[in-house]
Amino acid sequence: MNIAVCVKQTPDTETRVKLTDDQKAVNESDINFILNPYDEFAVEEALKLRETNGGEVTIISLGPDRVKSAIRSALAMGADKAIHLVADKNPSDPNAVAGALAEELKTGNYDLILLGKQAIDDDHAQLPSLLGEKLGLPAVTVVVKLDINGDQVTAEREIDGAHEIVTCNLPAVIGAQRGLNEPRYASLKGIMKAKKIPIEEKPAALAADQLEIESFNYPPEKSAGKIVGDSADAVPELLRLLHEEAKVI
Amino acid sequence: MFTGVDFFLIDDLLSEEERKIRQTIRQYVDEKFLPLAAEYHRKADFPLSVIPELGALGVLGVTIPERYGAAGLNHTIYGLAMQELERGDSGLRSFASVQGSLVMYPISRYGSETQKQLWLPKLASGQAVGCFGLTEPDHGSDPGGMLTKAVHTADGWLLNGSKMWITNAPIADVAVVWAQTEQGIRGFLVEKGTPGFRTQTIKGKFSLRASLTGELIFDDCLVPEANLLPEGKGLRAPLSCLNEARYGIAWGAIGAAMACYEEALDYAKNRIQFGKPIAGFQLTQHKLVEMLNEITKAQLLNLQLGRLKDQGKAQYYHISLAKRNNVDQALKIARSARTILAANGITDEYQTIRHLLNLESVFTYEGTHDIHTLIVGEHITGMGAFR
């Protein structure tokens, strides 16, 4: 099975985000970048499918030079090959990213395209669907269970309050959700082996962004909490506040 | 998630792969080991589930050649791995130290090809566990005086005697045992289940509780000729193994020290007394700075020691100096961190007390602090004070 996994490099989940002075971008100077955690599920699923069906796993990532580190992390988990679509920066428009990835994916004759259901930085969660559209392939996303039998795909996806079971044929695009599997740790040997795998570089065929970031804002400062009482008598007031002020129930 | 302590940007001296390897082990310890640590420490047991996980990571026998299923990497990487494991618990690091440096290393260096093929892949993957029997109830710092004897007979070697304070003894599939013979000290691979060989678990430990320690007892235990380590002769052979393990301990102790420092720093910033965080008091700052000071010096010592070892230039006295300094400082750091945590520092809700108790053993095992002092003393003066 010839599998492509599209991965994104994102800031570490523990990053304290700082904005640039014009508030149009995130200041990257102190950021520790990692492989997007949802993409780790995609890599793991690809490796498991390769273990059962044979074949090859190719990692594809788009972005500036620093994304090579995320590519190496995916290779260290056990992927076979990698392509880096070189761009000056990560585009802010997922449509532009999907277009460039689709151009590359068309040339690879892949049976399956896996990726995380979303990236933890910009949270667009659009890429699996956009890729399906651009490649004319079935796309199933937020997938928590994947079975492939011949070219028959059965995918279980999370929907509001239930799971939906979807079938389609290969080739297909699958967006991985947490719960699909437990990603393996890169082993010491894997990390050293990944160093020796050449990463093929190609210019990213990026169309102009159609989305423009107007500005980023920090979340509002948390205000002080309120104690409404210390006995059961306070429950009605607590319920009222949770409903009317906090609007959480 | 532990982010490490790197006050002097020492990370810049590591390769990208070395940093990635440290990160993968760090993440493993955070996600898989630390959730178990306090519970296993409390019940004085070792979580067996981690053994195959350590094997899959590749931290069992880091420097043992790849053709035997191990990682085949440099000593600096081995050191970083021990540092990260001991940031979890000295018991976790002890498991990996013993398996790698005290079991796989002697088999790899002194064993026959058959012994290597038989044991090394299983030990690397964690399918088999090993232990190392040198210390005896009455011979600790003076192993040359050991009483365990192996007599050559027509059927093999007849072992009699006992070994004490043996990490992994209760769960070992194979013990590397050193005994007096007519040819001087020789090493044997004694397999679990060999008639005349039994183990006994040491109970009541207040240190290294999340590690299994025991006694090896040999009572007319017949070991086949094929289980003699053919290349290891004399006390030099087991001492060479200890040298490997001590090297890892020098790194490991600083892992424990970093865990204590980080916990104390975090606590000091959040604990309010007299209307301000205790981190704002001069005495607390002094303690924290002393900790960081010693951690930073030890990190540089370790890295240089690792690079020397990778170049084949590290001598036993370099390793002795690093072991004695780093464990001693780690123990002082753990004690100081405990005073910052104050009453909270005596419960296992915080990790410092566990590290503090563990380090009391680490201070003593693999060459006591005093013995390492005398090894360096002998080297610089030319006068042996203990032999």
Side-chain angles (χ1 to χ4, degrees):
Chain A
M1 191 179 279
N2 189 14
I3 307 171
V5 186
C6 302
V7 304
K8 184 178 186 183
Q9 189 189 41
T10 60
D12 192 339
T13 47
E14 299 197 12
T15 305
R16 301 188 84 131
V17 174
K18 276 186 271 178
L19 301 177
T20 53
D21 291 341
D22 64 2
Q23 294 208 307
K24 295 219 181 245
V26 171
N27 181 343
E28 293 189 358
S29 56
D30 289 329
I31 288 181
N32 177 37
F33 286 99
I34 59 165
L35 175 59
N36 173 35
Y38 290 107
D39 295 340
E40 282 189 7
F41 300 121
V43 175
E44 177 64 32
E45 200 63 14
L47 297 175
K48 283 167 67 178
L49 286 166
R50 185 192 64 188
E51 279 157 18
T52 16
N53 302 302
E56 208 168 49
V57 175
T58 305
I59 303 298
I60 304 175
S61 188
L62 184 153
D65 200 50
R66 62 170 164 77
V67 309
K68 284 202 175 67
S69 172
I71 294 176
R72 295 251 180 248
S73 297
L75 289 170
M77 287 173 72
D80 303 282
K81 300 196 315 196
I83 299 166
H84 174 197
L85 301 178
V86 183
D88 300 341
K89 62 180 187 64
N90 275 333
S92 47
D93 186 347
N95 187 52
V97 177
L101 286 173
E103 284 308 305
E104 176 56 34
L105 288 164
K106 275 178 196 162
T107 68
N109 197 24
Y110 298 107
D111 302 309
L112 179 65
I113 296 158
L114 280 159
L115 68 167
K117 66 158 178 131
Q118 71 187 89
I120 60 158
D121 51 3
D122 56 20
D123 279 340
H124 281 297
Q126 294 183 25
L127 218 50
S129 312
L130 285 170
L131 281 178
E133 176 63 24
K134 287 182 191 292
L135 294 166
L137 296 178
V140 190
T141 188
V142 204
V143 170
V144 290
K145 190 165 186 287
L146 184 66
D147 281 313
I148 295 180
N149 201 343
D151 72 344
Q152 188 68 34
V153 178
T154 309
E156 194 173 317
R157 57 189 300 269
E158 269 181 7
I159 56 171
D160 204 0
H163 280 194
E164 180 179 54
I165 295 170
V166 179
T167 58
C168 63
N169 287 325
L170 290 178
V173 179
I174 301 290
Q177 163 69 319
R178 184 178 305 281
L180 178 62
N181 52 47
E182 192 181 347
R184 67 197 64 192
Y185 293 93
S187 71
L188 274 59
K189 269 192 262 189
I191 291 167
M192 298 309 281
K193 204 172 138 200
K195 178 185 162 187
K196 297 187 191 115
I197 300 175
I199 297 174
E200 191 183 343
E201 283 187 21
K202 295 179 179 179
L206 281 170
D209 284 356
Q210 290 173 290
L211 288 181
E212 194 184 332
I213 292 171
E214 197 54 41
S215 74
F216 285 103
N217 289 308
Y218 291 105
E221 294 252 342
K222 275 191 185 157
S223 51
K226 190 188 286 182
I227 295 171
V228 292
D230 57 5
S231 70
D233 298 346
V235 171
E237 175 64 0
L238 179 65
L239 285 174
R240 188 190 71 78
L241 289 170
L242 287 172
H243 185 64
E244 290 174 15
E245 272 192 23
K247 295 189 168 66
V248 291
I249 54 172
Chain B
M1 173 72 95
F2 180 69
T3 50
V5 178
D6 185 20
F7 194 62
F8 257 57
L9 311 188
I10 300 168
D11 277 6
D12 291 354
L13 301 175
L14 299 173
S15 70
E16 191 190 343
E17 289 71 37
E18 286 167 343
R19 287 197 297 267
K20 277 202 149 125
I21 284 172
R22 184 183 60 185
Q23 186 56 34
T24 199
I25 304 170
R26 186 169 281 177
Q27 198 182 341
Y28 168 79
V29 167
D30 267 333
E31 294 172 355
K32 297 280 180 178
F33 179 77
L34 281 178
L36 308 173
E39 178 199 342
Y40 277 81
H41 178 259
R42 216 179 257 198
K43 66 183 188 189
D45 198 3
F46 182 74
L48 300 179
S49 62
V50 307
I51 301 172
E53 294 170 353
L54 295 174
L57 269 176
V59 297
L60 303 176
V62 172
T63 61
I64 304 296
E66 237 185 315
R67 66 178 181 278
Y68 297 117
L73 301 176
N74 72 30
H75 289 88
T76 305
I77 291 174
Y78 173 58
L80 288 166
M82 295 304 109
Q83 171 189 295
E84 292 308 315
L85 294 180
E86 194 149 358
R87 202 263 307 174
D89 192 90
S90 303
L92 182 66
R93 198 269 306 136
S94 293
F95 179 89
S97 274
V98 168
Q99 185 93 337
S101 288
L102 297 182
V103 181
M104 296 174 72
Y105 175 81
I107 294 174
S108 164
R109 177 150 177 203
Y110 302 116
S112 68
E113 193 53 38
T114 316
Q115 290 167 344
K116 292 182 205 180
Q117 302 278 0
L118 176 65
W119 286 108
L120 293 177
K122 284 194 271 189
L123 291 161
S125 69
Q127 271 177 290
V129 173
C131 69
F132 179 86
L134 176 66
T135 298
E136 298 188 352
D138 296 322
H139 293 88
S141 293
D142 176 23
M146 69 172 69
L147 299 173
T148 299
K149 276 199 167 50
V151 178
H152 205 184
T153 70
D155 305 319
W157 295 83
L158 200 62
L159 260 69
N160 276 291
S162 68
K163 298 288 177 182
M164 191 71 173
W165 307 114
I166 310 303
T167 299
N168 296 349
I171 51 167
D173 300 288
V174 63
V176 174
V177 177
W178 303 90
Q180 299 277 11
T181 73
E182 282 186 348
Q183 316 158 2
I185 290 170
R186 300 295 305 260
F188 301 88
L189 300 178
V190 184
E191 296 173 27
K192 183 179 179 172
T194 307
F197 168 44
R198 65 193 163 92
T199 65
Q200 195 153 321
T201 306
I202 296 171
K203 305 261 191 212
K205 286 183 301 167
F206 281 69
S207 175
L208 285 182
R209 287 177 60 79
S211 171
L212 297 167
T213 316
E215 193 177 356
L216 309 176
I217 301 152
F218 307 98
D219 191 4
D220 281 338
C221 172
L222 188 68
V223 177
E225 190 68 45
N227 288 21
L228 170 76
L229 291 174
E231 310 297 333
K233 287 175 190 150
L235 191 59
R236 189 173 283 270
L239 292 185
S240 74
C241 305
L242 292 178
N243 216 37
E244 296 297 304
R246 290 163 177 174
Y247 164 79
I249 292 170
W251 282 87
I254 296 310
M258 286 193 279
C260 295
Y261 165 72
E262 206 209 24
E263 188 165 72
L265 177 63
D266 183 58
Y267 186 88
K269 285 180 182 171
N270 291 299
R271 170 78 173 173
I272 313 282
Q273 291 291 285
F274 304 102
K276 66 175 181 179
I278 60 169
F281 290 99
Q282 290 184 359
L283 289 175
T284 309
Q285 288 190 5
H286 181 241
K287 288 176 189 174
L288 291 167
V289 171
E290 284 295 325
M291 292 182 203
L292 178 63
N293 194 75
E294 293 307 325
I295 287 169
T296 303
K297 281 150 70 180
Q299 285 172 332
L300 285 165
L301 195 61
N302 279 339
L303 187 58
Q304 172 64 357
L305 180 65
R307 298 301 187 213
L308 285 177
K309 199 149 167 54
D310 286 328
Q311 294 161 24
K313 291 185 192 164
Q315 300 297 328
Y316 66 93
Y317 44 80
H318 293 135
I319 293 170
S320 284
L321 188 100
K323 194 270 182 185
R324 79 183 284 286
N325 177 74
N326 295 4
V327 179
D328 188 32
Q329 293 304 335
L331 186 52
K332 286 178 179 151
I333 288 166
R335 287 175 180 153
S336 179
R338 213 287 304 152
T339 68
I340 291 176
L341 294 162
N344 283 312
I346 68 162
T347 73
D348 63 9
E349 201 171 317
Y350 291 86
Q351 52 184 333
T352 292
I353 190 73
R354 185 163 48 78
H355 286 300
L356 167 52
L357 294 170
N358 284 339
L359 287 164
E360 291 287 351
S361 291
V362 181
F363 189 79
T364 292
Y365 75 12
E366 302 272 356
T368 66
H369 185 75
D370 292 347
I371 287 291
H372 285 297
T373 304
L374 297 182
I375 289 171
V376 179
E378 182 182 42
H379 175 71
I380 60 174
T381 64
M383 288 176 262
F386 67 104
R387 57 183 168 195

